[in-house]
């Protein structure tokens, strides 16, 4: 067991790796009535191809999400109902990289934590219940597919990437989930829901030793082997297609402009490079940027405009989008402004203002127990400490941002996805 005091952000974390290999973090928040637990596995929508017992297996798209849905089933009933009886608010989610189960409560924390650890570590599926779930998830998929914002994003990822499972929806398709059986769910649970591949984070006014002891008591005493995974080879930063489009029931075109970036390799440097990407996008596209002012005043964008820099297993990308009657003009303006920033440099005062604003937002996020827990788990899985963000901000320069823009935000790495109104 070790204790870390983060004086610059006022946080205290007690952590321990249990004998079964599970990393456990307790973020101590003295005086708070609310308590939060997050139990996550490094297994998400992109983990479709992996090696088990020396053989490579290809699993149906959407299986991690499907497994998340079925994990609340227990032999005695439903874990959601049991947690709710104790005054907890439970839920779960599946992303491209992780699946997380969580609850928050103000009382009965230990009892609720026991329920959480038990149902996530002990699966219970039947062929009948798995088959019934196909209809429920199929309806969910249908609703997603009818969403223009989802379609423009899905088509962008399919334009950017050739082999990466980032091309595939986390929920899968109606056809892909039809191949999921109780047996495949048990196999995936056995492979990935194993202590050394998971992480437990508890946040609140808690006794860390009690959390460690309870986890050690409830969970298996040993972990399974590490599972090799295949995310495809995306060494070429040139997109598969430069432009894709479709038509849907929208009042004006919806677009996403994506830039394919070099993938991350984990560790504290990944955290730093991610911050650089986020800051570079803010400098180029933020509400106070010259480019945003020109695009908005020229009527090329509206309040739907947004942007982000994201990292997924084996890939990284920046994307920009919203509603616009001329997405190509927006794309040209973004490229021209990126070239100007590289050529003329980033104004020093503007750079410091953007850094302070981002630092403040990150500091404010520590007020959210959920945000703290998820960032701790993601950091654990990718080998960095998210609470060292002040040191990361200190290390970033204007030249780092300009270099990111020069290397990544170029036409050669760009793809445009547009959903046009039906004619």
């Amino acid at each position: 067991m070790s204790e870390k005091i983060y004086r610059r952000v006022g946080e205290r974390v007690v952590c321990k790796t249990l004998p079964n290999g599970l990393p456990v973090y307790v973020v101590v928040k003295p005086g708070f009535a609310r308590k939060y637990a997050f139990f996550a596995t490094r297994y998400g929508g992109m983990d479709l191809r992996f090696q088990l017992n020396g053989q490579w297996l290809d699993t149906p798209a959407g299986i991690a999400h499907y497994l998340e849905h079925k994990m609340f089933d227990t032999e005695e009933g439903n874990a959601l109902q049991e947690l709710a009886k104790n005054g907890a608010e439970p839920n779960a989610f599946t992303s491209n990289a992780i699946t997380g189960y969580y609850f928050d409560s103000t009382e009965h924390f230990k009892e609720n934590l026991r329920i959480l650890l038990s149902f996530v570590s002990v699966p219970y599926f039947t062929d009948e219940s798995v088959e019934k779930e196909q209809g429920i998830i199929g309806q969910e998929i249908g609703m997603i597919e009818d969403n223009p914002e989802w379609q423009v994003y899905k088509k962008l990822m399919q334009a950017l990437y050739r082999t990466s499972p980032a091309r595939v929806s986390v929920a899968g398709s109606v056809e892909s989930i039809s191949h999921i059986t109780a047996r495949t769910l048990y196999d995936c649970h056995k492979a990935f829901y194993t202590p050394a591949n998971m992480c437990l984070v508890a946040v609140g006014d808690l006794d860390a030793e009690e959390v460690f002891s309870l986890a050690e008591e409830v969970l298996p005493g040993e972990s399974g082997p590490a599972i090799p995974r295949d995310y495809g080879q995306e060494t070429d930063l040139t997109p598969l297609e430069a432009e894709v489009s479709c038509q849907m029931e929208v009042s004006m075109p919806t677009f996403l402009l994506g830039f394919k970036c070099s993938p991350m390799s984990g560790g504290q440097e990944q955290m730093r490079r991610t911050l650089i990407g986020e800051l570079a996008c803010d400098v180029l596209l933020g509400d106070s940027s010259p480019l945003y002012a020109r695009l908005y005043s020229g009527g090329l964008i509206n309040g739907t405009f947004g942007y982000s820099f994201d990292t997924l297993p084996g890939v990284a990308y920046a994307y920009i989008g919203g509603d616009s009657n001329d997405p190509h003009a927006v794309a040209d303006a973004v490229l021209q402004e990126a070239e100007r920033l590289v050529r003329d440099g980033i104004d020093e005062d503007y750079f410091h203002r953007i850094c302070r604003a981002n630092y403040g937002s990150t500091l404010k996020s520590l007020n959210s127990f959920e945000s703290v827990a998820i960032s701790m788990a993601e950091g654990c899985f990718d080998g960095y400490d998210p609470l060292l963000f002040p040191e990361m901000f200190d290390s970033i320069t204007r030249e780092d941002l300009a270099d990111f823009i020069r290397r990544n935000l170029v036409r050669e790495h760009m793809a445009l996805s547009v959903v046009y109104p039906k004619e």
Side-chain angles (χ1 to χ4, degrees):
M1 185 177 73
S2 63
E3 179 179 272
K4 295 182 180 179
I5 306 294
Y6 299 85
R7 301 193 185 282
R8 293 185 66 177
V9 295
E11 296 291 348
R12 171 175 166 250
V13 179
V14 185
C15 51
K16 180 179 183 179
T17 299
L18 302 186
N20 61 10
L22 176 74
V24 184
Y25 299 85
V26 179
V27 183
V28 183
K29 299 275 194 178
F32 282 80
R34 183 176 176 231
K35 299 175 176 65
Y36 186 93
F38 183 67
F39 194 29
T41 174
R42 190 170 69 88
Y43 174 55
M46 291 179 63
D47 294 299
L48 299 176
R49 179 172 167 79
F50 55 90
Q51 193 178 83
L52 190 63
N53 300 326
Q55 291 187 326
W56 283 101
L57 301 178
D58 292 288
T59 53
I63 191 166
H65 173 254
Y66 206 108
L67 182 55
E68 174 228 309
H69 270 240
K70 296 307 300 172
M71 283 308 302
F72 288 97
D73 290 350
T74 66
E75 197 166 0
E76 293 76 28
N78 186 281
L80 276 173
Q81 296 172 359
E82 291 302 310
L83 287 164
K85 287 178 185 177
N86 286 334
E89 296 183 15
N91 214 327
F93 69 85
T94 304
S95 69
N96 280 285
I98 70 173
T99 305
Y101 304 83
Y102 59 91
F103 72 85
D104 66 70
S105 64
T106 56
E107 55 187 2
H108 306 300
F109 177 80
K110 289 179 64 177
E111 186 177 346
N112 288 328
L113 180 59
R114 181 182 295 275
I115 294 170
L116 175 70
L117 298 176
S118 298
F119 82 79
V120 174
S121 59
V122 181
Y124 176 74
F125 315 124
T126 65
D127 290 332
E128 293 77 16
S129 69
V130 171
E131 185 176 349
K132 180 180 178 181
E133 197 72 26
Q134 288 183 359
I136 298 170
I137 297 180
Q139 289 181 335
E140 184 179 324
I141 292 170
M143 292 173 62
I144 295 171
E145 292 294 325
D146 287 339
N147 186 323
E149 292 181 359
W150 165 247
Q151 284 294 339
V152 76
Y153 173 78
K154 181 178 76 170
K155 291 186 179 299
L156 174 67
M157 300 305 285
Q158 292 173 346
L160 285 175
Y161 295 104
R162 292 169 172 78
T163 61
S164 170
R167 292 171 48 87
V168 181
S169 168
V170 170
S173 66
V174 172
E175 194 279 331
S176 70
I177 66 170
S178 69
H179 300 287
I180 296 174
T181 65
R183 182 71 267 157
T184 54
L185 293 178
Y186 274 116
D187 287 344
C188 289
H189 186 278
K190 182 179 180 181
F192 295 109
Y193 282 63
T194 187
N197 191 58
M198 302 185 76
C199 177
L200 172 63
V201 184
V203 187
D205 194 349
L206 296 164
D207 183 324
E209 275 291 359
E210 288 186 352
V211 175
F212 300 148
S213 298
L214 182 58
E216 195 167 347
E217 174 192 340
V218 174
L219 297 174
E222 296 182 353
S223 186
I227 302 296
R229 312 164 196 226
D230 180 9
Y231 296 117
Q233 296 296 319
E234 290 286 348
T235 54
D236 186 357
L237 295 183
T238 304
L240 176 63
E241 297 180 84
E243 185 171 342
V244 290
S245 65
C246 68
Q247 294 183 355
M248 295 183 72
E249 295 288 353
V250 294
S251 59
M252 66 185 298
T254 294
F255 79 97
L256 275 180
L257 181 68
F259 293 91
K260 197 172 179 180
C261 306
S262 300
M264 303 290 185
S265 56
Q268 209 65 35
E269 183 60 20
Q270 172 169 325
M271 179 183 175
R272 183 175 182 274
R273 285 180 58 196
T274 300
L275 277 175
I276 289 172
E278 293 170 350
L279 289 168
C281 289
D282 279 343
V283 163
L284 176 64
L285 301 154
D287 292 355
S288 60
S289 68
L291 175 61
Y292 182 91
R294 289 199 301 272
L295 292 174
Y296 195 87
S297 62
L300 286 171
I301 61 172
N302 56 27
T304 64
F305 184 77
Y307 56 90
S308 183
F309 174 71
D310 284 352
T311 61
L312 300 174
V315 300
Y317 59 100
Y319 62 97
I320 304 147
D323 296 339
S324 175
N325 284 316
D326 196 346
H328 293 90
V330 176
D332 289 340
V334 168
L335 290 171
Q336 290 169 13
E337 182 66 3
E339 291 174 358
R340 186 193 70 79
L341 288 173
V342 171
R343 181 182 65 250
D344 299 342
I346 299 167
D347 179 79
E348 186 171 2
D349 289 340
Y350 181 49
F351 166 74
H352 288 301
R353 189 163 72 247
I354 292 294
C355 285
R356 286 194 298 270
N358 276 265
Y359 182 91
S361 296
T362 308
L363 192 64
K364 184 178 179 181
S365 71
L366 297 180
N367 291 328
S368 165
F369 285 16
E370 180 178 13
S371 176
V372 170
I374 293 175
S375 65
M376 292 297 294
E378 290 176 339
C380 171
F381 293 148
D382 286 329
Y384 64 84
D385 187 338
L387 293 180
L388 292 179
F389 67 85
E391 289 77 3
M392 296 298 100
F393 274 99
D394 289 346
S395 73
I396 295 172
T397 66
R398 287 184 295 162
E399 289 71 26
D400 288 326
L401 271 57
D403 185 57
F404 176 90
I405 294 171
R406 178 185 60 79
R407 288 185 294 104
N408 296 293
L409 304 187
V410 295
R411 189 177 294 277
E412 293 76 19
H413 297 178
M414 185 182 83
L416 176 64
S417 172
V418 186
V419 172
Y420 291 104
K422 282 189 175 181
E423 297 179 355

